[in-house]
Amino acid sequence: GENDWSVDENGQLSWENLEMGRYRFIETAAPVGYVSARNPLDIEVTENDTVTRVTFNNSPSEVSILKID
């Protein structure tokens, strides 16, 4: 199933007792002034995994301005 979660004020999100299986993390919104990550991140939780860290690296927003007159 698909679920939506939001990060805390530190940009972090955590779960406990996540079921074993494959998961895909998709960033749907980036912090103000940053561009969302373009690619989802896939992880697999196995019975031996105790901690899995997923990091989205955001780039600062860039704007191009072209004078037209």
Side-chain angles (χ1 to χ4, degrees):
E2 187 173 310
N3 295 297
D4 292 325
W5 289 285
S6 295
V7 297
D8 64 17
E9 63 278 355
N10 297 315
Q12 297 180 354
L13 178 66
S14 63
W15 296 270
E16 290 186 21
N17 302 318
L18 196 60
E19 292 183 21
M20 288 186 293
R22 292 173 40 199
Y23 293 86
R24 173 167 285 168
F25 291 84
I26 302 169
E27 184 177 44
T28 58
V32 174
Y34 287 81
V35 177
S36 291
R38 293 182 184 189
N39 298 316
L41 296 173
D42 294 337
I43 66 165
E44 185 169 2
V45 177
T46 64
E47 67 179 303
N48 295 326
D49 288 341
T50 55
V51 176
T52 300
R53 182 172 295 230
V54 175
T55 302
F56 280 100
N57 294 310
N58 299 103
S59 302
S61 297
E62 293 182 12
V63 176
S64 296
I65 300 174
L66 175 63
K67 186 173 187 317
I68 57 173
D69 64 358

